[in-house]
Amino acid sequence: MTEERPAGTPVLRRMNRAAVLDAVRRRAPEPVRLAELSQLTELTRPTVAQAVEDLLAAGWLRQHAPRPATVGRPATRFSLNGRAAPVLGLDVGPHTVTAGIADLAGERLAVIRRTVGRRSARHLLEAVDEATDEALATAGLAAEQITAVTAATPGIVEETTGRVLFVPSVPGWSEIDLAGRLRARFRCAVTVENDANLAALAAAHQRTGAGTLLAVQWGERLGAGVVIDGRLHRGAGQAGEIGFIRPVGNCPDADLPDAAGDGRGPLERAIGAEAIVNLARRRAAEHPESRLARATDAAAVFAAAAGGDPIAAEVVDRIAAVFAEAIAPVILVLSPHVIVIGGGIARAGAVLLDAIARHLEDLTLAPPSVELSELAEGTVLTGAIQMALDEVWRTTLTIC
């Protein structure tokens, strides 16, 4: 039988540093005093002071000048040195690529958006490189200073390898080893994840408490991510592909041939952003007096409905009905506490939420709360940055 050796001073000091650093993180971005850190960690003040000294020397913390005090000696305060471990998040879509760099405290150092010239893997990679290069230059960082990278991509992603297995919206994209290319450049932890899954993590991070959350990314395409008690649910790997649900009832757009060859699923062809505009135009042709005659995008359709246009209200109600009928079986199976809608449609406002809630009342036993994401189109990038930061903290708190 092997005798267990007691933890020596180096081990204890490392544990104390991790506890103090974690406490500073939880208080970020507000600076914190030694006395507060002692209370948060339940460590003695001398132990905290030693840990802070070590963390300052290692570059994880920075020291702030004391605030003027009316009584007694002003206390020195400490906060995260965000530049100690910057991360890169990428939102890679068929039409646009967004690169965001954040510091250790989550402060954005750069956000660069690039339009993809053509729908091909080569042009998408070019946009990834351009957006990444400009983000690094804007943040004043070199690639070797990035400590974790998370890239969001449409399609089904193999969890263990980060390989994109199926992405009909970008021809040839599944043949690209995006994770390998990023690892070769940054030489740090790299994760490639489905975009809707990252949107779900971002939405869950904004909420407190356990529960089941269904996050829907709704723009030209539709996808969803499921978070249960803070953990992403992938199932066998295809969880959340709601765009391929076949709508029921009178929904002719879902049966149109995929003339564009972009592999959109039935629900995407029925109520994606493009389908919403097409439906609005058809109704406007029948009712030229409607404000829909001037609608050029989905936002204008929702604005017309919110402004009291009855024909626009009919369009929104139909879109909401199709969405509710498609999502109701998912709700009955998962029983989520909340549905959070992100993507471009997240700017629709109460006119869409009210219509969805009304239809779900008739289709489910206990309709969940339906909300619009405050992050809208930025949800995926936020999730990518958050996952990268989680990876940094996971490793940092074990080795600092």
Side-chain angles (χ1 to χ4, degrees):
M1 180 176 179
T2 304
E3 182 179 354
E4 184 176 351
R5 298 175 61 184
T9 301
V11 175
L12 291 175
R13 286 183 65 169
R14 186 168 67 247
M15 293 172 61
N16 293 338
R17 288 196 297 268
V20 170
L21 186 59
D22 189 44
V24 177
R25 174 180 68 148
R26 286 185 276 118
R27 287 292 298 270
E30 289 296 317
V32 59
R33 296 178 289 112
L34 288 178
E36 294 172 309
L37 287 173
S38 181
Q39 292 176 346
L40 290 169
T41 61
E42 298 183 350
L43 297 172
T44 65
R45 187 184 178 100
T47 299
V48 169
Q50 179 62 64
V52 166
E53 182 179 335
D54 292 344
L55 291 168
L56 285 170
W60 290 104
L61 297 184
R62 58 178 178 168
Q63 183 172 317
H64 297 260
R67 289 175 177 169
T70 55
V71 179
R73 188 173 62 183
T76 303
R77 299 168 299 139
F78 306 91
S79 68
L80 290 176
N81 175 19
R83 291 273 175 166
V87 302
L88 169 67
L90 291 166
D91 178 5
V92 182
H95 302 291
T96 59
V97 172
T98 306
I101 295 178
D103 68 12
L104 192 60
E107 184 75 20
R108 300 286 176 91
L109 305 178
V111 176
I112 303 298
R113 186 182 178 92
R114 279 284 174 269
T115 300
V116 180
R118 293 173 57 188
R119 196 189 292 266
S120 72
R122 181 173 66 84
H123 287 88
L124 194 55
L125 280 176
E126 289 175 357
V128 169
D129 290 340
E130 290 173 3
T132 300
D133 289 344
E134 187 169 346
L136 288 169
T138 301
L141 295 170
E144 56 267 23
Q145 293 176 274
I146 299 297
T147 56
V149 177
T150 297
T153 175
I156 297 171
V157 180
E158 189 175 48
E159 180 183 0
T160 55
T161 65
R163 295 286 304 212
V164 181
L165 303 179
F166 177 69
V167 53
S169 58
V170 184
W173 190 240
S174 59
E175 300 170 12
I176 302 298
D177 183 8
L178 179 62
R181 288 174 61 94
L182 291 171
R183 291 189 185 105
R185 178 173 185 183
F186 291 97
R187 304 198 179 277
C188 64
V190 172
T191 303
V192 176
E193 181 59 88
N194 172 267
D195 49 7
N197 283 345
L198 289 173
L201 288 175
H205 187 73
Q206 289 190 308
R207 309 180 67 84
T208 57
T212 300
L213 177 146
L214 177 66
V216 177
Q217 277 299 101
W218 190 350
E220 181 179 331
R221 308 186 70 93
L222 278 92
V226 182
V227 175
I228 302 175
D229 294 337
R231 296 178 63 87
L232 186 64
H233 173 72
R234 293 184 175 86
Q238 296 83 40
E241 293 294 335
I242 64 171
F244 290 88
I245 293 175
R246 182 168 294 278
V248 297
N250 182 25
C251 192
D253 289 354
D255 297 320
L256 291 175
D258 188 10
D262 61 6
R264 284 179 295 173
L267 189 61
E268 294 168 329
R269 297 200 300 274
I271 59 171
E274 182 180 349
I276 294 173
V277 174
N278 289 339
L279 176 58
R281 286 172 177 167
R282 291 198 298 271
R283 296 294 286 147
E286 301 167 358
H287 299 272
E289 77 284 358
S290 169
R291 287 177 57 188
L292 291 180
R294 301 186 296 275
T296 58
D297 55 24
V301 176
F302 293 116
D309 187 299
I311 307 303
E314 289 179 13
V315 170
V316 172
D317 187 73
R318 180 178 178 185
I319 296 299
V322 174
F323 175 78
E325 289 176 357
I327 211 74
V330 180
I331 294 173
L332 291 171
V333 171
L334 289 179
S335 186
H337 295 84
V338 62
I339 298 175
V340 179
I341 298 175
I345 302 302
R347 301 191 183 280
V351 65
L352 178 63
L353 285 189
D354 293 345
I356 291 174
R358 184 174 64 255
H359 286 288
L360 286 178
E361 284 283 349
D362 299 328
L363 298 168
T364 59
L365 297 176
S369 170
V370 183
E371 304 173 2
L372 298 177
S373 171
E374 296 178 358
L375 301 169
E377 292 97 330
T379 308
V380 174
L381 180 64
T382 298
I385 289 174
Q386 186 59 52
M387 179 174 278
L389 285 171
D390 288 345
E391 172 63 24
V392 171
W393 283 111
R394 185 183 66 81
T395 57
T396 296
L397 294 179
T398 60
I399 65 174
C400 69

